[in-house]
């Protein structure tokens, strides 16, 4: 799908199921443990600094945030999970919100699970992945913070483990801090999205009325024929449009307007 990630707009925050967006647009759903850099990854993909909020304190996002991207899709930002200082009541509320969201499997077009490249996936990561898998949607696992590896070969055991755990998912190492891997991730996300529905009939070549197009063709021919003789102060209006089915012709009557009376003779010719 052709889409401009830089054209992004915040839509709403949902704290209950009745606020979920269900308008049929594709949704790219981002999930990840608190402090894994999920908001930073989203911001980098959108070319913004603080579009998705980056909190100083982990575990503060407690709603589902929707961002409209180019009027074609949504980035859906799920609240972070796994932060120890969150109360049991808050964890329970988060669990209910997630169960409500993932119960509607048709809402999710692509799942993006963000993990920390330095550590093996947590039990919460596995649970979130199971949520995605249950919907049947394609999935991308993003291993963030690879910039913290001085020796990149040390990432290989984790990437191997991720491939073993989730063989059907695309595994993608990135650094939101340095933007490493982000352009490739953006291309991968676009590739996974379905083609959008046609906005116009296949045989429609313009949104302009056919009469306007005919007038513009006449005006173009005038410019090509007259060249420098008449300034570009010429307008054309179609007065009458008749279809002749027997001759298989369209008969068009148009009026040519000029800026000054002296231009009439230049257009219609001497003695016209």
């Amino acid at each position: 799908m052709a889409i401009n990630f830089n054209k992004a707009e915040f839509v709403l925050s949902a704290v209950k199921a009745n606020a979920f967006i269900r308008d049929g647009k594709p949704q790219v759903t981002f999930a990840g443990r608190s402090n894994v850099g999920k908001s930073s990854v989203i911001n980098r993909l959108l070319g913004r600094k603080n579009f998705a909020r980056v909190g100083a304190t982990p575990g503060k996002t407690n709603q589902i945030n929707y961002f409209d991207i180019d009027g074609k899709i949504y980035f859906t930002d799920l609240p972070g999970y796994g932060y120890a200082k969150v109360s049991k009541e808050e964890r329970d509320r988060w669990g209910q919100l997630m169960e409500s969201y993932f119960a509607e499997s048709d809402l999710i077009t692509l799942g993006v699970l963000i993990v920390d490249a330095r550590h093996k996936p947590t039990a919460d990561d596995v649970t979130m992945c199971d949520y995605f898998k249950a919907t049947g949607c394609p999935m991308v696992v993003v291993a963030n913070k690879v910039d913290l590896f001085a020796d990149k070969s040390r990432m290989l055991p984790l990437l191997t483990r991720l491939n073993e755990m989730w063989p059907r998912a695309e595994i993608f190492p990135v650094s939101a801090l340095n933007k490493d891997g982000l352009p490739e991730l953006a291309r991968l996300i676009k590739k996974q999205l379905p083609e959008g529905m046609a906005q116009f009939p296949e045989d429609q070549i313009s949104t302009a009325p056919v009469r306007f197009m005919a007038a513009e063709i006449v005006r173009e021919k005038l410019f090509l024929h007259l060249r420098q003789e008449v300034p570009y102060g010429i307008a054309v209006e179609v007065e009458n449009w008749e279809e002749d089915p027997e001759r298989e012709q369209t008969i068009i009557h148009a009026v040519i307007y000029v800026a000054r009376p002296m231009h009439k003779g230049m257009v219609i010719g001497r003695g016209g």
Side-chain angles (χ1 to χ4, degrees):
M1 174 184 286
I3 186 168
N4 183 359
F5 280 177
N6 298 126
K7 294 178 63 176
E9 180 181 351
F10 172 75
V11 181
L12 61 83
S13 295
V15 294
K16 293 184 178 179
N18 60 7
F20 295 163
I21 294 180
R22 303 176 176 87
D23 62 4
K25 286 184 185 177
Q27 295 188 26
V28 180
T29 301
F30 291 81
R33 185 179 174 85
S34 295
N35 213 25
V36 79
K38 173 166 57 68
S39 295
S40 296
V41 169
I42 293 174
N43 287 331
R44 291 296 195 183
L45 286 172
L46 300 180
R48 305 289 186 90
K49 187 175 182 180
N50 287 309
F51 194 69
R53 185 176 178 182
V54 181
T57 304
K60 288 298 184 182
T61 303
N62 54 10
Q63 65 274 320
I64 297 175
N65 294 318
Y66 290 89
F67 305 98
D68 181 279
I69 312 300
D70 200 14
K72 298 177 181 177
I73 67 169
Y74 295 108
F75 274 10
T76 308
D77 183 13
L78 302 185
Y81 53 82
Y83 187 57
K85 293 185 179 180
V86 174
S87 67
K88 181 180 183 301
E89 179 182 353
E90 187 66 21
R91 286 198 299 270
D92 290 344
R93 196 198 67 78
W94 176 90
Q96 292 172 3
L97 185 63
M98 292 301 95
E99 288 180 4
S100 298
Y101 180 74
F102 282 97
E104 300 185 50
S105 58
D106 58 336
L107 294 180
I108 306 173
T109 306
L110 174 66
V112 181
L113 176 63
I114 301 174
V115 300
D116 192 325
R118 300 169 298 172
H119 309 294
K120 69 178 183 179
T122 66
D124 289 328
D125 290 329
V126 174
T127 298
M128 182 55 67
C129 186
D130 288 342
Y131 273 134
F132 278 126
K133 286 164 55 177
T135 69
C137 69
M139 182 177 166
V140 178
V141 177
V142 176
N144 189 28
K145 304 187 179 182
V146 298
D147 53 285
L148 298 178
F149 286 92
D151 180 3
K152 294 297 187 288
S153 65
R154 293 180 55 198
M155 294 190 301
L156 294 178
L158 172 72
L159 298 179
T160 300
R161 186 183 298 115
L162 293 176
N163 273 304
E164 292 172 349
M165 293 178 66
W166 302 309
R168 294 185 179 181
E170 295 271 5
I171 311 299
F172 223 89
V174 305
S175 168
L177 181 64
N178 296 336
K179 301 183 182 179
D180 295 337
L182 268 299
E184 294 80 6
L185 176 60
R187 287 195 290 270
L188 176 63
I189 291 174
K190 293 176 183 179
K191 182 180 177 181
Q192 293 280 3
L193 294 172
E195 287 296 327
M197 293 180 62
Q199 300 297 308
F200 304 98
E202 187 175 350
D203 60 349
Q204 183 172 336
I205 61 174
S206 173
T207 58
V210 67
R211 289 185 174 222
F212 172 81
M213 295 176 65
E216 286 298 290
I217 291 172
V218 174
R219 188 166 176 258
E220 177 193 31
K221 301 305 180 185
L222 287 167
F223 290 153
L224 293 174
H225 179 71
L226 297 169
R227 296 184 179 271
Q228 304 278 336
E229 293 185 47
V230 178
Y232 280 78
I234 290 180
V236 178
E237 179 184 9
V238 174
E239 277 195 324
N240 191 43
W241 185 291
E242 297 178 6
E243 299 289 346
D244 188 336
E246 293 185 2
R247 298 181 182 179
E248 296 184 349
Q249 292 180 343
T250 300
I251 303 171
I252 302 171
H253 298 268
V255 178
I256 300 171
Y257 296 95
V258 292
R260 297 181 180 182
M262 62 179 294
H263 295 159
K264 290 182 180 179
M266 299 178 185
V267 173
I268 62 178
R270 182 178 298 177

